[in-house]
Amino acid sequence: MRRTATRLADGRELVYFDDSEPYASGGATRRLDDPRPLPDRFAPVVGEDGSARPATGPEMRRDPLTGDWIPMASHRMNRTFLPAADACPLCPARTGASGTAYSDGEIPDTDYDVVVFENRFPALMQLPGLTVDDAWHVDGDPLWPAAPAAGRCEVVCFSSDHTSSFGDLTAHRVRTIVEAWADRTAELSALPGIQQVFPFENRGREIGVTLPHPHGQIYAFPFVTPRTQAMLREARTYAERTGGHLLHDVVEAELRAGTRVVLESEHWVAYVPAAARWPVEVHLAPRRDVPDVAALDAAERDDLAEVYLRLVRGLDRFFVDADGDHIPLPYIAGWHQAVVGAGRELGRLHLQVFSVLRAPGKLKYLAGVESGMAAWISDTTPERIAARLQEIPL
């Protein structure tokens, strides 16, 4: 695998991860220049009155009722939404009959294996010279703290094939994606002010995907997210009470029970958690205690490439339609990693894959108690989910 970094026309970083020849060995190099006439994203913006104003980025405001930080990224309202296949910004560059025409895609080369680049419409962005310490108060009232949403959002393109999906990939390609996740986790964790790195994939229109091209994202947060804060509180309380490590002990308990374990390999275990809340939910965890993807050794990464494919392909056989055909599962797959700063020792890497599809053609809507109270009610049981996955099998 070969890593090659460059900059797009507006200054955003792009990194090619090549596993095919002649690129993997360095016999050839992907196109690195971006000929699009994009202005520098940090350049002053000239208004209608002709005055130049400094570039601005998304802000975040703290909810005084919950303590949650809420990024405000209104510019994302104008991001690309379900484009035609010939206008997808994640596809490789296209050349015209003369070989010189260039599309407004994000990847300069006419092909790629795996590529990562900074999102053109980020919810989080670090502007030069600004950090979360450059805070203020909304309306000047100390009740509502606000600050720059000084994080980073990246896009991970899994394949140059617009019509494929993660489950269509080879284990060789997934191994490259694992390497990209590890690389970006290490790089983003080292950025100033970053507290948490979250690689994830949204798959399917039911999830709200706006670009069907097979891809994921990585968010580097300047705060610890609400779910992770809750997990850290529980882990800390558990450690003080028992001296144990909560996430480690959960995996061991699932292995002892066995009833909800759906997949095992030399280095990985997949199980339906005992308190699963989604209609379909599986956690995938390493047997060894590691904080994040970057800490996995070569054998664990190799094994993950095989196991992850088995899991995704199995989930695509979970539901069957009236004609007996399998229904591609809409899902969210997110890597829970240890936070960067205080509380890192309480974290442990694991993947959570879940779906809003509760039956063919039926979605679980987050209505009154879920959306209003964050009080979850499951439409099934973890044991039924596990039993179905054990039937497939993975």
Side-chain angles (χ1 to χ4, degrees), residues 58-59 70-77 79 121-124:
E59 68 175 79
I70 313 297
M72 308 284 174
S74 58
H75 62 285
R76 287 173 56 80
M77 294 291 288
R79 69 188 187 275
F121 303 97
L124 309 165

Side-chain angles (χ1 to χ4, degrees), residues 245-278:
H245 190 290
L246 179 59
L247 289 170
H248 170 92
D249 289 356
V250 163
V251 175
E252 292 301 314
E254 290 289 0
L255 282 169
R256 284 196 304 273
T259 55
R260 291 176 297 275
V261 174
V262 297
L263 188 158
E264 290 190 69
S265 70
E266 181 181 358
H267 299 285
W268 295 86
V269 178
Y271 57 92
V272 180
R277 62 185 65 192
W278 297 96

Side-chain angles (χ1 to χ4, degrees), residues 107-120:
I107 296 93
D109 207 341
T110 54
D111 196 15
Y112 63 83
D113 294 334
V114 175
V115 67
V116 180
F117 59 89
E118 289 184 75
N119 198 317
R120 194 171 178 178

